[in-house]
Amino acid sequence: MSGLFRRMCILVCSSVALTVPLLTAAEENRVGLEQMKLATSVGARCSGFYDGMFALLHNLSQGSDVQALGVVKGNWEGLDKRYVFRQSTSAMLMTGIFIKQMNQKFTSEQRFSFQSFSQDYVSSRKAAMSWKDDENYNTELGQQRQQCEHILQIAMRNGTLNKQMIDGAMQKRSIALGVDLQATD
Protein backbone atom coordinates (compact mmCIF):
# COMPACT_ATOMS: atom_id res chain seq x y z
CA MET A 1 0.00 0.00 0.00
CA SER A 2 1.48 3.32 -0.99
CA GLY A 3 2.24 5.93 1.60
CA LEU A 4 -0.03 8.42 -0.17
CA PHE A 5 -3.00 6.03 -0.09
CA ARG A 6 -2.34 5.22 3.55
CA ARG A 7 -2.20 8.91 4.51
CA MET A 8 -5.34 9.58 2.47
CA CYS A 9 -7.23 6.78 4.24
CA ILE A 10 -6.20 8.07 7.65
CA LEU A 11 -7.13 11.60 6.67
CA VAL A 12 -10.53 10.54 5.31
CA CYS A 13 -11.38 8.43 8.35
CA SER A 14 -10.33 11.23 10.68
CA SER A 15 -12.01 14.09 8.84
CA VAL A 16 -15.40 12.78 7.68
CA ALA A 17 -17.21 14.61 10.48
CA LEU A 18 -15.36 17.87 9.79
CA THR A 19 -15.89 18.13 6.03
CA VAL A 20 -19.48 17.04 5.53
CA PRO A 21 -21.11 20.14 7.15
CA LEU A 22 -19.19 22.42 4.71
CA LEU A 23 -20.77 20.91 1.59
CA THR A 24 -24.00 21.60 -0.24
CA ALA A 25 -26.67 18.90 -0.10
CA ALA A 26 -25.78 17.56 -3.58
CA GLU A 27 -22.06 17.55 -2.82
CA GLU A 28 -22.65 16.01 0.61
CA ASN A 29 -24.16 12.83 -0.81
CA ARG A 30 -21.47 12.42 -3.48
CA VAL A 31 -18.45 13.17 -1.30
CA GLY A 32 -19.94 11.57 1.79
CA LEU A 33 -20.62 8.33 -0.04
CA GLU A 34 -17.12 8.26 -1.52
CA GLN A 35 -15.61 8.88 1.91
CA MET A 36 -17.71 6.10 3.43
CA LYS A 37 -16.76 3.71 0.62
CA LEU A 38 -13.09 4.51 1.19
CA ALA A 39 -13.40 4.00 4.96
CA THR A 40 -15.24 0.71 4.36
CA SER A 41 -12.57 -0.41 1.93
CA VAL A 42 -9.89 0.31 4.53
CA GLY A 43 -11.88 -1.66 7.12
CA ALA A 44 -12.14 -4.64 4.75
CA ARG A 45 -8.40 -4.44 4.05
CA CYS A 46 -7.65 -4.42 7.77
CA SER A 47 -9.89 -7.42 8.38
CA GLY A 48 -8.14 -9.26 5.56
CA PHE A 49 -4.74 -8.23 6.88
CA TYR A 50 -5.44 -9.60 10.36
CA ASP A 51 -7.03 -12.79 8.98
CA GLY A 52 -3.96 -13.25 6.79
CA MET A 53 -1.70 -12.80 9.81
CA PHE A 54 -3.78 -15.35 11.71
CA ALA A 55 -3.38 -17.84 8.85
CA LEU A 56 0.35 -17.10 8.60
CA LEU A 57 0.87 -17.69 12.33
CA HIS A 58 -1.22 -20.85 12.17
CA ASN A 59 0.66 -22.20 9.15
CA LEU A 60 4.08 -21.44 10.65
CA SER A 61 3.19 -23.08 13.97
CA GLN A 62 1.62 -26.13 12.24
CA GLY A 63 4.68 -26.47 10.04
CA SER A 64 6.93 -26.15 13.07
CA ASP A 65 8.83 -23.31 11.41
CA VAL A 66 10.05 -21.93 14.71
CA GLN A 67 12.66 -19.70 13.08
CA ALA A 68 10.19 -17.92 10.75
CA LEU A 69 7.62 -17.68 13.55
CA GLY A 70 10.27 -16.05 15.73
CA VAL A 71 11.13 -13.54 13.02
CA VAL A 72 7.48 -12.58 12.48
CA LYS A 73 6.92 -12.17 16.21
CA GLY A 74 10.20 -10.26 16.47
CA ASN A 75 8.85 -7.72 13.98
CA TRP A 76 5.60 -7.34 15.92
CA GLU A 77 5.90 -7.31 19.69
CA GLY A 78 3.07 -9.09 21.49
CA LEU A 79 1.81 -10.82 18.35
CA ASP A 80 -0.26 -13.96 18.82
CA LYS A 81 -3.19 -15.61 17.07
CA ARG A 82 -5.75 -14.52 19.65
CA TYR A 83 -4.76 -10.88 19.21
CA VAL A 84 -4.99 -10.92 15.41
CA PHE A 85 -8.31 -12.81 15.62
CA ARG A 86 -9.63 -10.06 17.91
CA GLN A 87 -8.38 -7.31 15.60
CA SER A 88 -9.82 -9.03 12.54
CA THR A 89 -13.17 -9.36 14.27
CA SER A 90 -13.01 -5.68 15.27
CA ALA A 91 -12.22 -4.60 11.71
CA MET A 92 -15.01 -6.82 10.37
CA LEU A 93 -17.49 -5.28 12.83
CA MET A 94 -16.38 -1.79 11.87
CA THR A 95 -16.74 -2.62 8.16
CA GLY A 96 -20.24 -3.98 8.77
CA ILE A 97 -21.22 -0.82 10.64
CA PHE A 98 -19.94 1.34 7.76
CA ILE A 99 -21.85 -0.77 5.23
CA LYS A 100 -25.05 -0.43 7.25
CA GLN A 101 -24.58 3.34 7.54
CA MET A 102 -24.00 3.70 3.79
CA ASN A 103 -27.14 1.72 2.98
CA GLN A 104 -29.20 3.80 5.43
CA LYS A 105 -27.81 7.23 4.59
CA PHE A 106 -27.30 7.07 0.84
CA THR A 107 -29.63 6.00 -1.90
CA SER A 108 -27.76 4.28 -4.65
CA GLU A 109 -28.49 1.81 -7.39
CA GLN A 110 -26.59 -0.82 -5.47
CA ARG A 111 -27.02 -1.97 -1.89
CA PHE A 112 -23.63 -2.45 -0.29
CA SER A 113 -22.59 -5.67 1.42
CA PHE A 114 -19.40 -7.38 2.54
CA GLN A 115 -19.27 -8.83 -0.99
CA SER A 116 -18.93 -5.28 -2.34
CA PHE A 117 -15.56 -5.04 -0.58
CA SER A 118 -14.41 -8.64 -0.94
CA GLN A 119 -11.55 -7.78 -3.30
CA ASP A 120 -10.09 -5.41 -0.69
CA TYR A 121 -10.32 -8.15 1.93
CA VAL A 122 -8.91 -10.92 -0.28
CA SER A 123 -5.94 -8.96 -1.63
CA SER A 124 -4.94 -7.82 1.84
CA ARG A 125 -5.30 -11.34 3.28
CA LYS A 126 -3.18 -12.84 0.51
CA ALA A 127 -0.49 -10.19 0.98
CA ALA A 128 -0.26 -10.88 4.73
CA MET A 129 -0.17 -14.65 4.23
CA SER A 130 2.63 -14.40 1.66
CA TRP A 131 5.03 -12.76 4.11
CA LYS A 132 8.73 -13.41 3.58
CA ASP A 133 11.54 -12.30 5.85
CA ASP A 134 12.77 -9.41 3.79
CA GLU A 135 13.14 -5.71 4.53
CA ASN A 136 10.39 -4.69 2.09
CA TYR A 137 7.88 -7.23 3.44
CA ASN A 138 8.67 -6.27 7.01
CA THR A 139 8.25 -2.57 6.19
CA GLU A 140 4.93 -3.19 4.44
CA LEU A 141 3.76 -5.36 7.34
CA GLY A 142 4.63 -2.60 9.79
CA GLN A 143 2.88 0.09 7.73
CA GLN A 144 -0.28 -1.98 7.29
CA ARG A 145 -0.30 -2.79 10.98
CA GLN A 146 0.11 0.89 11.97
CA GLN A 147 -2.71 1.97 9.69
CA CYS A 148 -5.10 -0.71 10.94
CA GLU A 149 -4.21 -0.16 14.60
CA HIS A 150 -4.78 3.58 14.18
CA ILE A 151 -8.17 3.13 12.52
CA LEU A 152 -9.36 0.64 15.15
CA GLN A 153 -8.21 2.97 17.94
CA ILE A 154 -10.27 5.77 16.39
CA ALA A 155 -13.30 3.45 16.18
CA MET A 156 -12.90 2.56 19.87
CA ARG A 157 -12.45 6.18 20.96
CA ASN A 158 -15.46 7.48 19.04
CA GLY A 159 -17.71 4.65 20.25
CA THR A 160 -18.18 2.89 16.90
CA LEU A 161 -16.74 -0.21 18.60
CA ASN A 162 -16.64 -1.24 22.24
CA LYS A 163 -15.17 -4.13 24.22
CA GLN A 164 -18.50 -5.91 24.82
CA MET A 165 -19.43 -5.77 21.15
CA ILE A 166 -16.04 -7.18 20.13
CA ASP A 167 -16.05 -9.89 22.82
CA GLY A 168 -19.52 -11.07 21.75
CA ALA A 169 -18.61 -11.10 18.07
CA MET A 170 -15.36 -12.95 18.79
CA GLN A 171 -17.24 -15.64 20.67
CA LYS A 172 -19.80 -16.14 17.89
CA ARG A 173 -17.18 -16.03 15.17
CA SER A 174 -14.89 -18.50 16.94
CA ILE A 175 -17.76 -20.98 17.21
CA ALA A 176 -18.72 -20.51 13.55
CA LEU A 177 -15.11 -20.96 12.39
CA GLY A 178 -14.17 -23.67 14.89
CA VAL A 179 -11.40 -21.56 16.42
CA ASP A 180 -10.49 -22.45 20.02
CA LEU A 181 -9.90 -19.04 21.58
CA GLN A 182 -8.14 -20.63 24.55
CA ALA A 183 -5.57 -22.30 22.28
CA THR A 184 -4.75 -19.33 20.05
CA ASP A 185 -1.79 -17.95 21.99
Side-chain angles (χ1 to χ4, degrees), residues 52-124:
M53 288 305 299
F54 183 92
L56 175 67
L57 293 173
H58 177 77
N59 292 342
L60 291 176
S61 64
Q62 291 295 99
S64 300
D65 194 342
V66 177
Q67 183 179 0
L69 191 57
V71 171
V72 172
K73 288 185 174 191
N75 285 314
W76 187 338
E77 189 176 325
L79 179 67
D80 63 34
K81 289 192 295 187
R82 181 178 178 87
Y83 176 78
V84 293
F85 188 82
R86 179 178 193 78
Q87 295 300 83
S88 172
T89 303
S90 299
M92 200 171 284
L93 280 170
M94 182 179 69
T95 303
I97 290 167
F98 290 164
I99 289 169
K100 184 177 178 183
Q101 288 175 349
M102 281 192 302
N103 286 331
Q104 289 175 347
K105 184 174 181 178
F106 303 103
T107 55
S108 84
E109 297 170 11
Q110 154 190 354
R111 300 274 302 159
F112 295 99
S113 68
F114 281 106
Q115 187 63 32
S116 307
F117 299 91
S118 64
Q119 186 57 42
D120 296 310
Y121 171 88
V122 169
S123 63
S124 188

Side-chain angles (χ1 to χ4, degrees), residues 18-77:
L18 297 175
T19 58
V20 172
L22 303 174
L23 304 172
T24 66
E27 291 171 324
E28 181 177 327
N29 282 339
R30 190 183 90 249
V31 174
L33 177 59
E34 291 307 311
Q35 289 174 330
M36 287 298 297
K37 284 168 62 176
L38 180 59
T40 306
S41 172
V42 171
R45 286 183 185 277
C46 288
S47 184
F49 168 71
Y50 288 118
D51 276 351
M53 288 305 299
F54 183 92
L56 175 67
L57 293 173
H58 177 77
N59 292 342
L60 291 176
S61 64
Q62 291 295 99
S64 300
D65 194 342
V66 177
Q67 183 179 0
L69 191 57
V71 171
V72 172
K73 288 185 174 191
N75 285 314
W76 187 338
E77 189 176 325

Side-chain angles (χ1 to χ4, degrees), residues 138-157:
N138 292 334
T139 299
E140 287 178 25
L141 176 90
Q143 289 173 341
Q144 181 73 32
R145 181 182 129 213
Q146 287 174 353
Q147 178 189 23
C148 292
E149 296 290 323
H150 180 71
I151 290 167
L152 290 174
Q153 287 171 0
I154 290 171
M156 291 293 286
R157 277 195 307 263

